[in-house]
Amino acid sequence: TAAELEAEKNLVLDFYRPGITLRQLIALIDPSYVQHNPLALKLGREKHISDYEEFRQLFTAVAASASPDSTNTLDGPARRGGRAPNVVIVTAECDLVTAIVQNTRPDPTAPPGTTYEHFGFDTFRVRGGKLVEHWDNEEITPDSVDAVRRMEQQLPHP
């Protein structure tokens, strides 16, 4: 129904909400979560953990880097500075919700500090009021792997 589609879109928009805490972000994800982001898949497979656990570890590392002096990462901002990606379009059909996200990237062909506008997407499958599956257009790059590994190395290990 239109109301169900609106609720699914609102759930995805909540994922991007400015100031969302790590605890609130994790609560949006179902433990059966299936990931199709190639970087998250690579890192999860290397650690032999589920897609859900890789999501938790990745966002815990992001949250910890956002508030390095905090002892309570779960209740701190999920993203650096409490900022959120700039969602410009959200569409929903059946149980799939796609967000088009605007950001800037460095232009490697121009002088340092030059950026260009870039649009990416995240598509989520929604079931039972939770995010259960995710696709995006990210790529594995040496820089992205190094950045995540550096963040994860700074986390305390149980």
Side-chain angles (χ1 to χ4, degrees), residues 19-26 55-83 148 151-152 154-156:
I20 190 169
T21 68
L22 178 59
R23 184 183 310 275
Q24 292 167 331
L25 190 71
I26 290 170
F55 175 91
R56 286 178 56 99
Q57 286 186 18
L58 179 60
F59 274 90
T60 298
V62 169
S65 74
S67 302
D69 298 328
S70 176
T71 58
N72 185 3
T73 303
L74 276 174
D75 293 316
R79 295 181 180 92
R80 195 175 295 277
R83 292 187 310 261
V148 172
M151 278 191 308
E152 289 179 336
Q154 295 180 17
L155 290 175

PDB file of all heavy atoms in Angstrom, residues 19-26 55-83 148 151-152 154-156:
ATOM      1  N   GLY A  19      22.696  12.959  13.134  1.00  0.00           N
ATOM      2  CA  GLY A  19      22.730  12.750  14.574  1.00  0.00           C
ATOM      3  C   GLY A  19      22.330  11.359  15.040  1.00  0.00           C
ATOM      4  O   GLY A  19      22.318  11.093  16.236  1.00  0.00           O
ATOM      5  N   ILE A  20      22.013  10.445  14.129  1.00  0.00           N
ATOM      6  CA  ILE A  20      21.638   9.094  14.543  1.00  0.00           C
ATOM      7  C   ILE A  20      22.808   8.472  15.304  1.00  0.00           C
ATOM      8  O   ILE A  20      23.972   8.648  14.939  1.00  0.00           O
ATOM      9  CB  ILE A  20      21.207   8.227  13.336  1.00  0.00           C
ATOM     10  CG1 ILE A  20      20.578   6.902  13.824  1.00  0.00           C
ATOM     11  CG2 ILE A  20      22.365   7.982  12.388  1.00  0.00           C
ATOM     12  CD1 ILE A  20      19.894   6.114  12.726  1.00  0.00           C
ATOM     13  N   THR A  21      22.498   7.785  16.388  1.00  0.00           N
ATOM     14  CA  THR A  21      23.551   7.128  17.169  1.00  0.00           C
ATOM     15  C   THR A  21      23.850   5.764  16.576  1.00  0.00           C
ATOM     16  O   THR A  21      23.048   5.205  15.819  1.00  0.00           O
ATOM     17  CB  THR A  21      23.136   6.957  18.643  1.00  0.00           C
ATOM     18  OG1 THR A  21      22.069   6.005  18.707  1.00  0.00           O
ATOM     19  CG2 THR A  21      22.739   8.276  19.277  1.00  0.00           C
ATOM     20  N   LEU A  22      24.983   5.218  16.962  1.00  0.00           N
ATOM     21  CA  LEU A  22      25.340   3.879  16.505  1.00  0.00           C
ATOM     22  C   LEU A  22      24.294   2.866  16.964  1.00  0.00           C
ATOM     23  O   LEU A  22      23.879   2.001  16.198  1.00  0.00           O
ATOM     24  CB  LEU A  22      26.729   3.492  17.024  1.00  0.00           C
ATOM     25  CG  LEU A  22      27.208   2.095  16.650  1.00  0.00           C
ATOM     26  CD1 LEU A  22      27.255   1.908  15.137  1.00  0.00           C
ATOM     27  CD2 LEU A  22      28.562   1.828  17.267  1.00  0.00           C
ATOM     28  N   ARG A  23      23.831   2.981  18.201  1.00  0.00           N
ATOM     29  CA  ARG A  23      22.814   2.054  18.718  1.00  0.00           C
ATOM     30  C   ARG A  23      21.539   2.124  17.871  1.00  0.00           C
ATOM     31  O   ARG A  23      20.967   1.095  17.493  1.00  0.00           O
ATOM     32  CB  ARG A  23      22.487   2.384  20.171  1.00  0.00           C
ATOM     33  CG  ARG A  23      21.505   1.422  20.818  1.00  0.00           C
ATOM     34  CD  ARG A  23      21.151   1.820  22.247  1.00  0.00           C
ATOM     35  NE  ARG A  23      22.280   2.098  23.098  1.00  0.00           N
ATOM     36  CZ  ARG A  23      22.969   1.178  23.785  1.00  0.00           C
ATOM     37  NH1 ARG A  23      22.609  -0.086  23.708  1.00  0.00           N
ATOM     38  NH2 ARG A  23      23.982   1.538  24.553  1.00  0.00           N
ATOM     39  N   GLN A  24      21.104   3.330  17.532  1.00  0.00           N
ATOM     40  CA  GLN A  24      19.897   3.497  16.719  1.00  0.00           C
ATOM     41  C   GLN A  24      20.109   2.948  15.304  1.00  0.00           C
ATOM     42  O   GLN A  24      19.206   2.327  14.736  1.00  0.00           O
ATOM     43  CB  GLN A  24      19.517   4.978  16.649  1.00  0.00           C
ATOM     44  CG  GLN A  24      19.052   5.539  17.966  1.00  0.00           C
ATOM     45  CD  GLN A  24      18.988   7.064  17.956  1.00  0.00           C
ATOM     46  OE1 GLN A  24      19.736   7.738  17.236  1.00  0.00           O
ATOM     47  NE2 GLN A  24      18.088   7.618  18.766  1.00  0.00           N
ATOM     48  N   LEU A  25      21.297   3.154  14.764  1.00  0.00           N
ATOM     49  CA  LEU A  25      21.598   2.661  13.425  1.00  0.00           C
ATOM     50  C   LEU A  25      21.575   1.136  13.394  1.00  0.00           C
ATOM     51  O   LEU A  25      20.938   0.534  12.518  1.00  0.00           O
ATOM     52  CB  LEU A  25      22.966   3.188  12.969  1.00  0.00           C
ATOM     53  CG  LEU A  25      23.319   2.949  11.512  1.00  0.00           C
ATOM     54  CD1 LEU A  25      22.470   3.829  10.603  1.00  0.00           C
ATOM     55  CD2 LEU A  25      24.785   3.257  11.285  1.00  0.00           C
ATOM     56  N   ILE A  26      22.224   0.512  14.347  1.00  0.00           N
ATOM     57  CA  ILE A  26      22.258  -0.955  14.403  1.00  0.00           C
ATOM     58  C   ILE A  26      20.854  -1.519  14.588  1.00  0.00           C
ATOM     59  O   ILE A  26      20.514  -2.566  14.028  1.00  0.00           O
ATOM     60  CB  ILE A  26      23.221  -1.432  15.506  1.00  0.00           C
ATOM     61  CG1 ILE A  26      24.667  -1.133  15.086  1.00  0.00           C
ATOM     62  CG2 ILE A  26      23.040  -2.916  15.795  1.00  0.00           C
ATOM     63  CD1 ILE A  26      25.692  -1.342  16.174  1.00  0.00           C
ATOM     64  N   PHE A  55      28.677  -5.394   9.242  1.00  0.00           N
ATOM     65  CA  PHE A  55      28.011  -4.092   9.328  1.00  0.00           C
ATOM     66  C   PHE A  55      28.262  -3.480  10.701  1.00  0.00           C
ATOM     67  O   PHE A  55      28.653  -2.321  10.807  1.00  0.00           O
ATOM     68  CB  PHE A  55      26.496  -4.240   9.085  1.00  0.00           C
ATOM     69  CG  PHE A  55      25.750  -2.954   9.279  1.00  0.00           C
ATOM     70  CD1 PHE A  55      25.540  -2.103   8.214  1.00  0.00           C
ATOM     71  CD2 PHE A  55      25.277  -2.586  10.531  1.00  0.00           C
ATOM     72  CE1 PHE A  55      24.866  -0.894   8.396  1.00  0.00           C
ATOM     73  CE2 PHE A  55      24.602  -1.390  10.717  1.00  0.00           C
ATOM     74  CZ  PHE A  55      24.401  -0.543   9.646  1.00  0.00           C
ATOM     75  N   ARG A  56      28.042  -4.254  11.754  1.00  0.00           N
ATOM     76  CA  ARG A  56      28.245  -3.757  13.121  1.00  0.00           C
ATOM     77  C   ARG A  56      29.691  -3.309  13.332  1.00  0.00           C
ATOM     78  O   ARG A  56      29.941  -2.239  13.879  1.00  0.00           O
ATOM     79  CB  ARG A  56      27.878  -4.832  14.147  1.00  0.00           C
ATOM     80  CG  ARG A  56      26.392  -5.058  14.294  1.00  0.00           C
ATOM     81  CD  ARG A  56      26.102  -6.177  15.288  1.00  0.00           C
ATOM     82  NE  ARG A  56      26.712  -5.907  16.583  1.00  0.00           N
ATOM     83  CZ  ARG A  56      26.073  -5.401  17.633  1.00  0.00           C
ATOM     84  NH1 ARG A  56      24.798  -5.121  17.546  1.00  0.00           N
ATOM     85  NH2 ARG A  56      26.703  -5.185  18.764  1.00  0.00           N
ATOM     86  N   GLN A  57      30.641  -4.134  12.897  1.00  0.00           N
ATOM     87  CA  GLN A  57      32.051  -3.787  13.090  1.00  0.00           C
ATOM     88  C   GLN A  57      32.440  -2.547  12.276  1.00  0.00           C
ATOM     89  O   GLN A  57      33.148  -1.668  12.779  1.00  0.00           O
ATOM     90  CB  GLN A  57      32.946  -4.968  12.725  1.00  0.00           C
ATOM     91  CG  GLN A  57      32.914  -6.070  13.753  1.00  0.00           C
ATOM     92  CD  GLN A  57      33.918  -7.174  13.448  1.00  0.00           C
ATOM     93  OE1 GLN A  57      34.859  -6.989  12.673  1.00  0.00           O
ATOM     94  NE2 GLN A  57      33.712  -8.324  14.066  1.00  0.00           N
ATOM     95  N   LEU A  58      31.982  -2.479  11.042  1.00  0.00           N
ATOM     96  CA  LEU A  58      32.325  -1.351  10.186  1.00  0.00           C
ATOM     97  C   LEU A  58      31.767  -0.054  10.762  1.00  0.00           C
ATOM     98  O   LEU A  58      32.492   0.941  10.903  1.00  0.00           O
ATOM     99  CB  LEU A  58      31.802  -1.574   8.769  1.00  0.00           C
ATOM    100  CG  LEU A  58      32.075  -0.464   7.766  1.00  0.00           C
ATOM    101  CD1 LEU A  58      33.570  -0.219   7.597  1.00  0.00           C
ATOM    102  CD2 LEU A  58      31.451  -0.807   6.424  1.00  0.00           C
ATOM    103  N   PHE A  59      30.494  -0.062  11.136  1.00  0.00           N
ATOM    104  CA  PHE A  59      29.910   1.168  11.665  1.00  0.00           C
ATOM    105  C   PHE A  59      30.406   1.481  13.077  1.00  0.00           C
ATOM    106  O   PHE A  59      30.455   2.648  13.467  1.00  0.00           O
ATOM    107  CB  PHE A  59      28.381   1.143  11.571  1.00  0.00           C
ATOM    108  CG  PHE A  59      27.901   1.632  10.233  1.00  0.00           C
ATOM    109  CD1 PHE A  59      27.722   0.753   9.184  1.00  0.00           C
ATOM    110  CD2 PHE A  59      27.687   2.982  10.005  1.00  0.00           C
ATOM    111  CE1 PHE A  59      27.318   1.201   7.935  1.00  0.00           C
ATOM    112  CE2 PHE A  59      27.285   3.446   8.768  1.00  0.00           C
ATOM    113  CZ  PHE A  59      27.095   2.552   7.722  1.00  0.00           C
ATOM    114  N   THR A  60      30.814   0.479  13.827  1.00  0.00           N
ATOM    115  CA  THR A  60      31.440   0.741  15.124  1.00  0.00           C
ATOM    116  C   THR A  60      32.774   1.454  14.918  1.00  0.00           C
ATOM    117  O   THR A  60      33.097   2.405  15.637  1.00  0.00           O
ATOM    118  CB  THR A  60      31.628  -0.562  15.924  1.00  0.00           C
ATOM    119  OG1 THR A  60      30.343  -1.127  16.179  1.00  0.00           O
ATOM    120  CG2 THR A  60      32.353  -0.318  17.235  1.00  0.00           C
ATOM    121  N   ALA A  61      33.526   1.018  13.910  1.00  0.00           N
ATOM    122  CA  ALA A  61      34.801   1.676  13.603  1.00  0.00           C
ATOM    123  C   ALA A  61      34.563   3.119  13.144  1.00  0.00           C
ATOM    124  O   ALA A  61      35.285   4.031  13.547  1.00  0.00           O
ATOM    125  CB  ALA A  61      35.554   0.887  12.536  1.00  0.00           C
ATOM    126  N   VAL A  62      33.557   3.332  12.318  1.00  0.00           N
ATOM    127  CA  VAL A  62      33.239   4.685  11.860  1.00  0.00           C
ATOM    128  C   VAL A  62      32.841   5.555  13.050  1.00  0.00           C
ATOM    129  O   VAL A  62      33.318   6.683  13.206  1.00  0.00           O
ATOM    130  CB  VAL A  62      32.109   4.655  10.803  1.00  0.00           C
ATOM    131  CG1 VAL A  62      31.588   6.058  10.515  1.00  0.00           C
ATOM    132  CG2 VAL A  62      32.601   4.000   9.519  1.00  0.00           C
ATOM    133  N   ALA A  63      31.963   5.026  13.922  1.00  0.00           N
ATOM    134  CA  ALA A  63      31.501   5.789  15.088  1.00  0.00           C
ATOM    135  C   ALA A  63      32.653   6.086  16.040  1.00  0.00           C
ATOM    136  O   ALA A  63      32.752   7.185  16.584  1.00  0.00           O
ATOM    137  CB  ALA A  63      30.391   5.034  15.813  1.00  0.00           C
ATOM    138  N   ALA A  64      33.534   5.112  16.236  1.00  0.00           N
ATOM    139  CA  ALA A  64      34.681   5.320  17.126  1.00  0.00           C
ATOM    140  C   ALA A  64      35.611   6.389  16.558  1.00  0.00           C
ATOM    141  O   ALA A  64      36.153   7.211  17.298  1.00  0.00           O
ATOM    142  CB  ALA A  64      35.425   4.015  17.353  1.00  0.00           C
ATOM    143  N   SER A  65      35.786   6.403  15.243  1.00  0.00           N
ATOM    144  CA  SER A  65      36.644   7.426  14.642  1.00  0.00           C
ATOM    145  C   SER A  65      35.965   8.790  14.683  1.00  0.00           C
ATOM    146  O   SER A  65      36.626   9.818  14.692  1.00  0.00           O
ATOM    147  CB  SER A  65      37.022   7.054  13.209  1.00  0.00           C
ATOM    148  OG  SER A  65      35.936   7.224  12.331  1.00  0.00           O
ATOM    149  N   ALA A  66      34.639   8.789  14.736  1.00  0.00           N
ATOM    150  CA  ALA A  66      33.892  10.051  14.813  1.00  0.00           C
ATOM    151  C   ALA A  66      34.007  10.684  16.191  1.00  0.00           C
ATOM    152  O   ALA A  66      33.939  11.892  16.338  1.00  0.00           O
ATOM    153  CB  ALA A  66      32.425   9.818  14.463  1.00  0.00           C
ATOM    154  N   SER A  67      34.161   9.845  17.226  1.00  0.00           N
ATOM    155  CA  SER A  67      34.258  10.335  18.613  1.00  0.00           C
ATOM    156  C   SER A  67      35.388   9.600  19.322  1.00  0.00           C
ATOM    157  O   SER A  67      35.143   8.760  20.192  1.00  0.00           O
ATOM    158  CB  SER A  67      32.937  10.094  19.346  1.00  0.00           C
ATOM    159  OG  SER A  67      31.880  10.725  18.700  1.00  0.00           O
ATOM    160  N   PRO A  68      36.645   9.877  18.955  1.00  0.00           N
ATOM    161  CA  PRO A  68      37.766   9.103  19.479  1.00  0.00           C
ATOM    162  C   PRO A  68      37.942   9.187  20.997  1.00  0.00           C
ATOM    163  O   PRO A  68      38.512   8.287  21.597  1.00  0.00           O
ATOM    164  CB  PRO A  68      38.984   9.666  18.748  1.00  0.00           C
ATOM    165  CG  PRO A  68      38.552  10.955  18.172  1.00  0.00           C
ATOM    166  CD  PRO A  68      37.063  10.911  18.036  1.00  0.00           C
ATOM    167  N   ASP A  69      37.434  10.235  21.635  1.00  0.00           N
ATOM    168  CA  ASP A  69      37.608  10.373  23.081  1.00  0.00           C
ATOM    169  C   ASP A  69      36.452   9.785  23.873  1.00  0.00           C
ATOM    170  O   ASP A  69      36.479   9.781  25.101  1.00  0.00           O
ATOM    171  CB  ASP A  69      37.764  11.852  23.445  1.00  0.00           C
ATOM    172  CG  ASP A  69      39.002  12.456  22.788  1.00  0.00           C
ATOM    173  OD1 ASP A  69      39.987  11.717  22.609  1.00  0.00           O
ATOM    174  OD2 ASP A  69      38.959  13.651  22.441  1.00  0.00           O
ATOM    175  N   SER A  70      35.445   9.274  23.192  1.00  0.00           N
ATOM    176  CA  SER A  70      34.261   8.760  23.873  1.00  0.00           C
ATOM    177  C   SER A  70      34.480   7.329  24.346  1.00  0.00           C
ATOM    178  O   SER A  70      35.098   6.523  23.667  1.00  0.00           O
ATOM    179  CB  SER A  70      33.052   8.796  22.928  1.00  0.00           C
ATOM    180  OG  SER A  70      31.931   8.214  23.552  1.00  0.00           O
ATOM    181  N   THR A  71      33.943   7.026  25.522  1.00  0.00           N
ATOM    182  CA  THR A  71      33.985   5.649  26.022  1.00  0.00           C
ATOM    183  C   THR A  71      32.681   4.941  25.721  1.00  0.00           C
ATOM    184  O   THR A  71      32.575   3.750  25.922  1.00  0.00           O
ATOM    185  CB  THR A  71      34.232   5.630  27.548  1.00  0.00           C
ATOM    186  OG1 THR A  71      33.189   6.385  28.181  1.00  0.00           O
ATOM    187  CG2 THR A  71      35.591   6.215  27.882  1.00  0.00           C
ATOM    188  N   ASN A  72      31.670   5.677  25.225  1.00  0.00           N
ATOM    189  CA  ASN A  72      30.374   5.102  24.926  1.00  0.00           C
ATOM    190  C   ASN A  72      30.067   5.270  23.443  1.00  0.00           C
ATOM    191  O   ASN A  72      29.268   6.110  23.053  1.00  0.00           O
ATOM    192  CB  ASN A  72      29.279   5.750  25.790  1.00  0.00           C
ATOM    193  CG  ASN A  72      27.937   5.081  25.591  1.00  0.00           C
ATOM    194  OD1 ASN A  72      27.816   4.111  24.857  1.00  0.00           O
ATOM    195  ND2 ASN A  72      26.925   5.622  26.232  1.00  0.00           N
ATOM    196  N   THR A  73      30.678   4.451  22.620  1.00  0.00           N
ATOM    197  CA  THR A  73      30.514   4.552  21.174  1.00  0.00           C
ATOM    198  C   THR A  73      29.075   4.294  20.753  1.00  0.00           C
ATOM    199  O   THR A  73      28.575   4.942  19.841  1.00  0.00           O
ATOM    200  CB  THR A  73      31.465   3.557  20.469  1.00  0.00           C
ATOM    201  OG1 THR A  73      32.796   3.839  20.878  1.00  0.00           O
ATOM    202  CG2 THR A  73      31.376   3.672  18.970  1.00  0.00           C
ATOM    203  N   LEU A  74      28.392   3.355  21.414  1.00  0.00           N
ATOM    204  CA  LEU A  74      27.036   2.995  21.005  1.00  0.00           C
ATOM    205  C   LEU A  74      26.069   4.173  21.059  1.00  0.00           C
ATOM    206  O   LEU A  74      25.180   4.281  20.215  1.00  0.00           O
ATOM    207  CB  LEU A  74      26.490   1.862  21.867  1.00  0.00           C
ATOM    208  CG  LEU A  74      26.870   0.457  21.435  1.00  0.00           C
ATOM    209  CD1 LEU A  74      26.383  -0.564  22.449  1.00  0.00           C
ATOM    210  CD2 LEU A  74      26.340   0.136  20.058  1.00  0.00           C
ATOM    211  N   ASP A  75      26.222   5.037  22.036  1.00  0.00           N
ATOM    212  CA  ASP A  75      25.286   6.149  22.171  1.00  0.00           C
ATOM    213  C   ASP A  75      25.832   7.452  21.605  1.00  0.00           C
ATOM    214  O   ASP A  75      25.200   8.495  21.745  1.00  0.00           O
ATOM    215  CB  ASP A  75      24.872   6.313  23.636  1.00  0.00           C
ATOM    216  CG  ASP A  75      24.052   5.117  24.095  1.00  0.00           C
ATOM    217  OD1 ASP A  75      23.156   4.685  23.331  1.00  0.00           O
ATOM    218  OD2 ASP A  75      24.312   4.598  25.189  1.00  0.00           O
ATOM    219  N   GLY A  76      26.974   7.366  20.934  1.00  0.00           N
ATOM    220  CA  GLY A  76      27.537   8.528  20.259  1.00  0.00           C
ATOM    221  C   GLY A  76      27.082   8.564  18.811  1.00  0.00           C
ATOM    222  O   GLY A  76      26.385   7.663  18.335  1.00  0.00           O
ATOM    223  N   PRO A  77      27.490   9.591  18.085  1.00  0.00           N
ATOM    224  CA  PRO A  77      27.075   9.711  16.684  1.00  0.00           C
ATOM    225  C   PRO A  77      27.608   8.555  15.847  1.00  0.00           C
ATOM    226  O   PRO A  77      28.745   8.126  16.011  1.00  0.00           O
ATOM    227  CB  PRO A  77      27.659  11.049  16.232  1.00  0.00           C
ATOM    228  CG  PRO A  77      28.715  11.385  17.224  1.00  0.00           C
ATOM    229  CD  PRO A  77      28.371  10.682  18.492  1.00  0.00           C
ATOM    230  N   ALA A  78      26.767   8.061  14.953  1.00  0.00           N
ATOM    231  CA  ALA A  78      27.161   6.956  14.076  1.00  0.00           C
ATOM    232  C   ALA A  78      28.087   7.426  12.965  1.00  0.00           C
ATOM    233  O   ALA A  78      28.806   6.614  12.383  1.00  0.00           O
ATOM    234  CB  ALA A  78      25.929   6.290  13.481  1.00  0.00           C
ATOM    235  N   ARG A  79      28.056   8.720  12.692  1.00  0.00           N
ATOM    236  CA  ARG A  79      28.890   9.267  11.624  1.00  0.00           C
ATOM    237  C   ARG A  79      29.664  10.477  12.133  1.00  0.00           C
ATOM    238  O   ARG A  79      29.202  11.179  13.024  1.00  0.00           O
ATOM    239  CB  ARG A  79      28.025   9.664  10.432  1.00  0.00           C
ATOM    240  CG  ARG A  79      27.347   8.459   9.798  1.00  0.00           C
ATOM    241  CD  ARG A  79      26.510   8.878   8.599  1.00  0.00           C
ATOM    242  NE  ARG A  79      25.870   7.740   7.991  1.00  0.00           N
ATOM    243  CZ  ARG A  79      24.653   7.320   8.316  1.00  0.00           C
ATOM    244  NH1 ARG A  79      23.938   7.940   9.222  1.00  0.00           N
ATOM    245  NH2 ARG A  79      24.139   6.266   7.719  1.00  0.00           N
ATOM    246  N   ARG A  80      30.800  10.709  11.541  1.00  0.00           N
ATOM    247  CA  ARG A  80      31.681  11.815  11.937  1.00  0.00           C
ATOM    248  C   ARG A  80      30.911  13.134  12.000  1.00  0.00           C
ATOM    249  O   ARG A  80      30.245  13.522  11.054  1.00  0.00           O
ATOM    250  CB  ARG A  80      32.830  11.913  10.938  1.00  0.00           C
ATOM    251  CG  ARG A  80      33.987  12.755  11.412  1.00  0.00           C
ATOM    252  CD  ARG A  80      35.138  12.706  10.427  1.00  0.00           C
ATOM    253  NE  ARG A  80      35.724  11.381  10.305  1.00  0.00           N
ATOM    254  CZ  ARG A  80      36.642  10.873  11.124  1.00  0.00           C
ATOM    255  NH1 ARG A  80      37.062  11.584  12.139  1.00  0.00           N
ATOM    256  NH2 ARG A  80      37.122   9.670  10.937  1.00  0.00           N
ATOM    257  N   GLY A  81      30.989  13.781  13.155  1.00  0.00           N
ATOM    258  CA  GLY A  81      30.329  15.066  13.338  1.00  0.00           C
ATOM    259  C   GLY A  81      28.819  14.992  13.368  1.00  0.00           C
ATOM    260  O   GLY A  81      28.150  16.006  13.315  1.00  0.00           O
ATOM    261  N   GLY A  82      28.244  13.782  13.428  1.00  0.00           N
ATOM    262  CA  GLY A  82      26.800  13.637  13.415  1.00  0.00           C
ATOM    263  C   GLY A  82      26.188  13.979  12.063  1.00  0.00           C
ATOM    264  O   GLY A  82      24.976  14.051  11.913  1.00  0.00           O
ATOM    265  N   ARG A  83      27.067  14.183  11.074  1.00  0.00           N
ATOM    266  CA  ARG A  83      26.575  14.534   9.737  1.00  0.00           C
ATOM    267  C   ARG A  83      25.928  13.317   9.091  1.00  0.00           C
ATOM    268  O   ARG A  83      26.095  12.193   9.522  1.00  0.00           O
ATOM    269  CB  ARG A  83      27.722  15.039   8.875  1.00  0.00           C
ATOM    270  CG  ARG A  83      28.274  16.381   9.323  1.00  0.00           C
ATOM    271  CD  ARG A  83      29.292  16.921   8.334  1.00  0.00           C
ATOM    272  NE  ARG A  83      30.304  15.950   7.978  1.00  0.00           N
ATOM    273  CZ  ARG A  83      31.518  15.902   8.511  1.00  0.00           C
ATOM    274  NH1 ARG A  83      31.861  16.758   9.429  1.00  0.00           N
ATOM    275  NH2 ARG A  83      32.383  14.991   8.124  1.00  0.00           N
ATOM    276  N   VAL A 148      39.519   1.508   5.938  1.00  0.00           N
ATOM    277  CA  VAL A 148      38.709   0.694   6.856  1.00  0.00           C
ATOM    278  C   VAL A 148      39.613  -0.095   7.795  1.00  0.00           C
ATOM    279  O   VAL A 148      39.357  -0.163   9.001  1.00  0.00           O
ATOM    280  CB  VAL A 148      37.754  -0.238   6.083  1.00  0.00           C
ATOM    281  CG1 VAL A 148      37.064  -1.215   7.031  1.00  0.00           C
ATOM    282  CG2 VAL A 148      36.729   0.576   5.313  1.00  0.00           C
ATOM    283  N   MET A 151      40.882   2.147  10.556  1.00  0.00           N
ATOM    284  CA  MET A 151      39.835   2.426  11.552  1.00  0.00           C
ATOM    285  C   MET A 151      39.627   1.228  12.471  1.00  0.00           C
ATOM    286  O   MET A 151      39.534   1.373  13.682  1.00  0.00           O
ATOM    287  CB  MET A 151      38.502   2.756  10.868  1.00  0.00           C
ATOM    288  CG  MET A 151      38.369   4.165  10.411  1.00  0.00           C
ATOM    289  SD  MET A 151      36.676   4.587   9.914  1.00  0.00           S
ATOM    290  CE  MET A 151      36.242   3.307   8.757  1.00  0.00           C
ATOM    291  N   GLU A 152      39.553   0.039  11.890  1.00  0.00           N
ATOM    292  CA  GLU A 152      39.298  -1.162  12.678  1.00  0.00           C
ATOM    293  C   GLU A 152      40.457  -1.478  13.623  1.00  0.00           C
ATOM    294  O   GLU A 152      40.246  -1.983  14.710  1.00  0.00           O
ATOM    295  CB  GLU A 152      39.000  -2.351  11.774  1.00  0.00           C
ATOM    296  CG  GLU A 152      37.644  -2.259  11.094  1.00  0.00           C
ATOM    297  CD  GLU A 152      37.335  -3.411  10.174  1.00  0.00           C
ATOM    298  OE1 GLU A 152      38.282  -4.082   9.679  1.00  0.00           O
ATOM    299  OE2 GLU A 152      36.144  -3.665   9.926  1.00  0.00           O
ATOM    300  N   GLN A 154      42.154   0.574  15.255  1.00  0.00           N
ATOM    301  CA  GLN A 154      42.110   1.477  16.400  1.00  0.00           C
ATOM    302  C   GLN A 154      41.045   1.084  17.414  1.00  0.00           C
ATOM    303  O   GLN A 154      41.006   1.644  18.511  1.00  0.00           O
ATOM    304  CB  GLN A 154      41.883   2.910  15.932  1.00  0.00           C
ATOM    305  CG  GLN A 154      43.068   3.394  15.105  1.00  0.00           C
ATOM    306  CD  GLN A 154      42.892   4.813  14.604  1.00  0.00           C
ATOM    307  OE1 GLN A 154      42.067   5.561  15.100  1.00  0.00           O
ATOM    308  NE2 GLN A 154      43.682   5.187  13.608  1.00  0.00           N
ATOM    309  N   LEU A 155      40.194   0.107  17.073  1.00  0.00           N
ATOM    310  CA  LEU A 155      39.174  -0.340  18.018  1.00  0.00           C
ATOM    311  C   LEU A 155      39.786  -1.257  19.054  1.00  0.00           C
ATOM    312  O   LEU A 155      40.701  -2.039  18.760  1.00  0.00           O
ATOM    313  CB  LEU A 155      38.077  -1.118  17.283  1.00  0.00           C
ATOM    314  CG  LEU A 155      37.170  -0.314  16.373  1.00  0.00           C
ATOM    315  CD1 LEU A 155      36.224  -1.254  15.628  1.00  0.00           C
ATOM    316  CD2 LEU A 155      36.390   0.711  17.153  1.00  0.00           C
ATOM    317  N   PRO A 156      39.275  -1.212  20.303  1.00  0.00           N
ATOM    318  CA  PRO A 156      39.737  -2.186  21.297  1.00  0.00           C
ATOM    319  C   PRO A 156      39.287  -3.583  20.883  1.00  0.00           C
ATOM    320  O   PRO A 156      38.189  -3.753  20.369  1.00  0.00           O
ATOM    321  CB  PRO A 156      39.049  -1.743  22.581  1.00  0.00           C
ATOM    322  CG  PRO A 156      38.070  -0.688  22.207  1.00  0.00           C
ATOM    323  CD  PRO A 156      38.315  -0.279  20.794  1.00  0.00           C
TER     324      PRO A 156
END
